[in-house]
Amino acid sequence: MEVNTNAWHSDSHIVLAISTGVDSMVLLHQLLTNYRQTYRQITCLHVNHGIRTAAKTEQAFMQRYCKQHGVDLFVHELDLSHVIAAGNSIENEARTLRYAWFDQMMEELEADVLLTAHHLDDQIETIFYRVMTGRSTRSKLGMDECILRKNYVLAKPLLAVSKSEIRTYQHEQHVPFFEDETNQDNQYVRNDIRNRLLPAIDENRQLSTQQLLKLKAWHDEQLNVIHQEADHFILNKVKAETNNHEIHFSRSEFLKLRHTVKIVVLDKLIDKLALEQPISEKMYESWLTQIASNHAQCTLYTTDKWIIHIAYDKFILMANYEQALSQIKVNQPGTYTFSRYNIEIQADLPQDEFPLTIRTRQVGDKYELNGSTGHKKVSRLFIDEKIIQRQREEMPVIVTADEEIIAVGTLFLKQKYNELISISNMGEE
């Protein structure tokens, strides 16, 4: 039975996430015997989930075993009572809490590599699970032997070792371990796959679960190509404002992409927003329907920090900052800031033109067209210029004491004020 030690070297501080099951106990035994010269220091982390009656007994055993072998052990007890009380699945919640603690401990220990005892049978089970639950389009089918996680490497040195090899080693070396009785409970999906479905496939001589490993290799290659296409689109088609408060790209260009590439582009961009909850594929599908529709403007998603919006030919991710835009009374020349706009009133503006008022649009606002006697509604101007809703709410409107509109953002300035008033959008590239 061979342990893959490529993830660390002789000067590494390695940390083993250990239960008391046969897989992690065999890995620990190997590290303490046959592979003792491959690292500088070893530490163990044990999580007590506090669910099974045997948990305390297993924790005590682990403490004795590590003390006997001179290994530092840290124990963390989880409180999952709120999850159980709510009747929710504990698997995802427990994993999230475990890795949050692992992250913390790896930093405190200044360790290099965290090891888990996932093996080849776990890999096949994971591939099967992801294929059959529709989790094959946005991520890899299986587990990687080695990945970079925050400030350390997460490695699975037994990923090429079968469960039968682990069992054989345990029997030959008399490695102590505890059997988790919940592993036999097929009400859990992963258990049902492991205990019933995969063995049934292997019982058929014309079928082999090993074919799933070939599928994974092919899938990984295709996924790399998809990511390359997505990165190319983001590099060449996605634009960000200099203040990083807005990211946007062309709807029409986006719609030319393959469906899978669209999903990965969205994943990569959404990842930058650090949303608390990931976006489901079902929600993505609804977005893609809206993007492909004839709707001129539509808000797809909002949080307290971000708005995801489509407007005309743009898909926009913008900061959702609530800013009270109070009107500004201007009594003298100078530079004034209103939302994202800089407004400069020149000293040459006659004194009898003051006071001016800078405000947002109001219902019924109209302005006199330059070079004609007609008027145009500000709302019509916004439509004609394809100004998105968010920008409409921020755009400054300058009015005189007589309530005459003489400027609307960078879209309109009454001709007589061309040399006296200048307006610039600080958010534009």
Side-chain angles (χ1 to χ4, degrees):
M1 177 185 147
E2 185 174 350
V3 175
N4 183 351
T5 62
N6 291 336
W8 68 90
H9 51 76
S10 58
D11 196 42
S12 296
H13 179 182
I14 63 174
V15 176
L16 175 60
I18 191 163
S19 59
T20 53
V22 63
D23 307 327
S24 58
M25 288 303 298
V26 162
L27 178 54
L28 177 58
H29 188 275
Q30 281 271 39
L31 293 170
L32 293 176
T33 56
N34 301 326
Y35 292 87
R36 183 62 190 86
Q37 303 306 315
T38 66
Y39 57 86
R40 171 178 54 85
Q41 180 181 353
I42 184 170
T43 301
C44 285
L45 301 180
H46 176 74
V47 175
N48 182 344
H49 295 84
I51 299 171
R52 297 179 297 111
T53 55
K56 285 291 185 183
T57 303
E58 293 173 3
Q59 177 181 322
F61 160 78
M62 202 67 252
Q63 289 168 327
R64 290 194 304 271
Y65 188 91
C66 286
K67 183 177 181 180
Q68 178 185 349
H69 290 84
V71 178
D72 289 334
L73 172 70
F74 295 86
V75 176
H76 183 59
E77 297 186 15
L78 296 184
D79 180 9
L80 298 168
S81 57
H82 62 290
V83 182
I84 298 171
N88 297 329
S89 171
I90 65 171
E91 292 176 278
N92 289 335
E93 181 70 13
R95 186 183 188 282
T96 299
L97 294 174
R98 276 200 309 274
Y99 274 90
W101 182 59
F102 291 160
D103 290 343
Q104 175 188 331
M105 290 304 301
M106 291 298 288
E107 183 173 2
E108 291 182 9
L109 294 168
E110 298 182 346
D112 303 300
V113 185
L114 176 67
L115 312 181
T116 65
H118 293 94
H119 49 76
L120 185 61
D121 294 53
D122 292 326
Q123 179 77 294
I124 294 172
E125 174 190 316
T126 299
I127 297 168
F128 187 92
Y129 175 77
R130 290 182 179 174
V131 169
M132 293 301 170
T133 56
R135 290 169 169 82
S136 60
T137 55
R138 296 167 64 185
S139 60
K140 291 185 176 181
L141 277 187
M143 298 176 282
D144 289 321
E145 286 187 329
C146 184
I147 62 171
L148 183 62
R149 180 181 172 91
K150 296 192 175 180
N151 59 328
Y152 64 90
V153 172
L154 175 61
K156 298 174 173 60
L158 299 183
L159 208 53
V161 179
S162 69
K163 184 75 170 189
S164 62
E165 290 178 271
I166 293 172
R167 290 285 190 190
T168 299
Y169 182 93
Q170 180 278 323
H171 179 73
E172 291 174 349
Q173 301 297 324
H174 306 289
V175 179
F177 72 97
F178 282 73
E179 195 73 66
D180 183 352
E181 68 277 4
T182 62
N183 287 338
Q184 304 306 315
D185 186 352
N186 284 2
Q187 70 172 327
Y188 298 109
V189 174
R190 297 294 290 254
N191 287 351
D192 195 37
I193 293 171
R194 182 186 315 121
N195 300 329
R196 185 177 66 87
L197 298 176
L198 293 179
I201 292 172
D202 282 331
E203 284 176 5
N204 190 315
R205 292 183 180 181
Q206 296 182 3
L207 304 177
S208 172
T209 57
Q210 294 293 313
Q211 297 301 322
L212 291 171
L213 298 174
K214 295 181 181 179
L215 175 62
K216 176 189 179 300
W218 176 85
H219 183 276
D220 286 351
E221 290 180 2
Q222 300 308 309
L223 192 63
N224 285 337
V225 172
I226 291 169
H227 276 265
Q228 289 171 11
E229 291 183 30
D231 290 337
H232 183 268
F233 179 86
I234 291 171
L235 178 64
N236 293 282
K237 302 297 183 180
V238 176
K239 299 184 179 180
E241 289 193 359
T242 53
N243 56 15
N244 289 322
H245 287 166
E246 181 178 305
I247 302 169
H248 58 85
F249 56 81
S250 163
R251 285 169 74 180
S252 56
E253 291 293 328
F254 180 73
L255 288 172
K256 296 176 184 177
L257 298 174
R258 291 189 291 154
H259 181 270
T260 49
V261 179
K262 292 174 188 173
I263 297 295
V264 174
V265 167
L266 292 176
D267 269 343
K268 288 176 178 286
L269 295 178
I270 297 299
D271 187 57
K272 297 178 186 295
L273 307 187
L275 301 179
E276 291 184 3
Q277 296 292 332
I279 305 298
S280 68
E281 193 158 347
K282 183 177 180 181
M283 183 173 289
Y284 273 165
E285 294 296 344
S286 70
W287 291 7
L288 294 177
T289 300
Q290 295 284 3
I291 294 170
S293 72
N294 294 323
H295 296 312
Q297 299 198 59
C298 177
T299 298
L300 301 176
Y301 190 82
T302 61
T303 71
D304 59 335
K305 296 179 181 178
W306 294 94
I307 295 175
I308 300 173
H309 189 76
I310 53 175
Y312 302 102
D313 190 44
K314 283 185 178 181
F315 180 100
I316 305 164
L317 298 86
M318 68 177 84
N320 184 16
Y321 57 89
E322 293 298 331
Q323 183 178 7
L325 294 175
S326 302
Q327 68 177 26
I328 300 173
K329 190 71 72 173
V330 177
N331 293 302
Q332 60 186 11
T335 300
Y336 299 85
T337 299
F338 189 87
S339 182
R340 306 183 186 198
Y341 293 83
N342 249 5
I343 302 167
E344 292 187 29
I345 311 295
Q346 302 298 327
D348 295 338
L349 186 70
Q351 191 61 38
D352 60 4
E353 297 277 357
F354 295 101
L356 300 175
T357 300
I358 306 173
R359 59 169 174 79
T360 56
R361 64 171 179 158
Q362 296 178 359
V363 176
D365 274 348
K366 294 181 180 180
Y367 61 94
E368 185 178 3
L369 295 169
N370 286 321
S372 72
T373 56
H375 287 76
K376 186 172 187 175
K377 287 186 176 181
V378 170
S379 59
R380 185 72 249 174
L381 174 66
F382 287 160
I383 293 171
D384 291 345
E385 296 295 329
K386 297 185 176 180
I387 304 302
I388 66 173
Q389 191 67 32
R390 178 76 173 182
Q391 293 172 344
R392 296 179 189 186
E393 303 300 332
E394 298 175 342
M395 191 169 291
V397 175
I398 303 178
V399 299
T400 65
D402 297 327
E403 290 297 316
E404 179 190 5
I405 294 176
I406 59 174
V408 181
T410 57
L411 305 179
F412 167 77
L413 179 64
K414 191 166 184 178
Q415 198 164 11
K416 66 176 282 190
Y417 296 97
N418 280 347
E419 304 299 326
L420 301 173
I421 298 174
S422 62
I423 303 173
S424 60
N425 184 346
M426 296 179 291
E428 290 182 342
E429 295 179 321

